[in-house]
């Protein structure tokens, strides 16, 4: 059994973000946000009052407001909002692709008995569209359908660690967004930023990532094989 050594700290579990970290999906978040704001406006709510919240948090806040007057309308809004964003995610996934070394990375970690999991704010259908055999490489996949609160709330990473039977102090969270670093820090794990998304090294340094990688597969450079048998 091998271990990853991150700043001299032994790690035997790696939790990955998906989009931008293991795969390229090119989701049009501008379109997604616009669709949700238009939906919110159709319920008589001024969308300008929502600021720059992420789309899922935007939906949550609108739900809360609508629910104050009608539980039925709250459920109607939620169903339509998630239908809209899933449609955009799945369409993008149909044009998406895994990064070249993703399967190699998972095979190499499995060979060394490093536990692996994936956590994502995306829907399960989009993941399986891009990576149909995902469960052959990674037995723990936590999408937004599996939790009440998505990252950067620590619920997803805590659930992944629990299902892997891992220890927080021997786990690293890897992602292409400073939000992933926040998730790991809130979950008390080590963290790694990757430069395959839209952020630069200084963004991850500012977020206090433990390491920054050019790509997720570079995590293997931190792998130290276990002792040879006598």
């Amino acid at each position: 059994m091998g271990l990853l050594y991150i700043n001299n700290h032994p790690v035997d579990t790696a939790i990955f973000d998906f989009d931008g970290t293991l795969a390229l999906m090119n989701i049009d978040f501008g379109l997604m946000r616009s669709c949700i704001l238009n939906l919110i406006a159709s319920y008589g709510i001024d969308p300008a009052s929502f600021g720059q919240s992420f789309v899922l948090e935007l939906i949550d806040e609108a739900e809360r407001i609508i629910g104050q007057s009608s539980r039925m309308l709250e459920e109607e809004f939620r169903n339509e909002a998630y239908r809209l964003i899933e449609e955009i995610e799945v369409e993008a996934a149909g044009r998406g692709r895994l990064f070249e070394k993703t399967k190699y990375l998972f095979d190499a970690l499995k060979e060394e008995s490093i536990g692996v999991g994936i956590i994502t704010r995306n829907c399960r259908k989009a993941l399986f569209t891009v990576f149909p055999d995902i469960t052959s490489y990674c037995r723990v996949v936590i999408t937004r359908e599996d939790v009440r609160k998505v990252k950067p709330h620590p619920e997803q990473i805590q659930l992944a660690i629990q299902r892997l039977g891992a220890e927080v102090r021997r786990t690293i969270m890897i992602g292409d967004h400073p939000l992933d670093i926040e998730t790991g820090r809130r979950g008390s794990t080590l963290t790694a930023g990757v430069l395959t998304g839209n952020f630069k090294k200084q963004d991850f340094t500012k977020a206090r990532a433990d390491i920054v990688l050019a790509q997720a597969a570079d995590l293997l450079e931190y792998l130290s094989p276990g002792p040879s048998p006598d």
Side-chain angles (χ1 to χ4, degrees):
M1 176 179 176
L3 289 171
L4 297 162
Y5 278 89
I6 310 299
N7 299 336
N8 297 318
H9 190 101
V11 169
D12 57 19
T13 304
I15 308 294
F16 295 89
D17 167 56
F18 188 73
D19 183 16
T21 301
L22 301 173
L24 181 65
M25 291 173 64
N26 287 321
I27 297 171
D28 190 338
F29 289 105
L31 172 62
M32 186 182 288
R33 184 177 182 82
S34 177
C35 287
I36 297 304
L37 288 174
N38 288 337
L39 179 62
I40 289 170
S42 75
Y43 281 79
I45 303 170
D46 181 6
S49 64
F50 286 87
Q52 296 301 311
S53 299
F54 292 121
V55 171
L56 297 182
E57 286 74 11
L58 195 64
I59 293 171
D60 286 345
E61 179 61 15
E63 269 191 82
R64 184 187 65 78
I65 295 171
I66 294 167
Q68 289 174 354
S69 59
S70 170
R71 291 296 183 188
M72 184 178 71
L73 289 178
E74 177 187 12
E75 183 177 357
E76 176 188 89
F77 168 81
R78 179 180 178 82
N79 290 341
E80 179 61 10
Y82 278 97
R83 186 195 68 78
L84 286 169
I85 64 173
E86 180 173 306
E87 185 177 275
I88 292 169
E89 287 171 344
V90 172
E91 190 278 332
R95 296 179 283 104
R97 60 175 175 82
L98 290 179
F99 289 137
E100 181 180 357
K101 294 184 178 180
T102 292
K103 290 187 175 182
Y104 166 76
L105 168 62
F106 278 97
D107 279 338
L109 292 174
K110 183 178 181 180
E111 181 70 22
E112 296 296 337
S113 299
I114 303 293
V116 294
I118 292 171
I119 64 174
T120 177
R121 291 164 60 98
N122 291 331
C123 69
R124 184 168 293 268
K125 186 175 180 180
L127 263 68
F128 278 82
T129 298
V130 177
F131 197 171
D133 53 346
I134 191 170
T135 54
S136 297
Y137 291 86
C138 179
R139 66 183 178 88
V140 173
V141 179
I142 309 295
T143 65
R144 66 167 177 262
E145 292 98 333
D146 298 309
V147 292
R148 291 176 60 85
K149 294 184 180 294
V150 294
K151 60 180 182 165
H153 188 282
E155 183 180 353
Q156 284 183 299
I157 195 168
Q158 289 169 346
L159 181 58
I161 290 169
Q162 176 189 337
R163 290 186 178 178
L164 286 165
E167 296 181 42
V168 169
R169 64 186 181 87
R170 293 167 70 91
T171 299
I172 186 167
M173 172 72 209
I174 305 102
D176 72 308
H177 196 293
L179 177 148
D180 296 307
I181 307 307
E182 181 182 351
T183 302
R185 291 181 61 81
R186 291 177 69 176
S188 300
T189 71
L190 293 170
T191 58
V194 296
L195 303 178
T196 44
N198 298 315
F199 291 89
K200 301 182 184 301
K201 183 175 182 177
Q202 54 264 36
D203 297 312
F204 293 109
T205 301
K206 184 177 179 180
R208 295 191 289 169
D210 292 289
I211 57 172
V212 181
L213 309 171
Q215 59 182 334
D218 290 348
L219 185 68
L220 296 175
E221 296 176 7
Y222 292 80
L223 188 64
S224 176
S228 300
D230 294 333

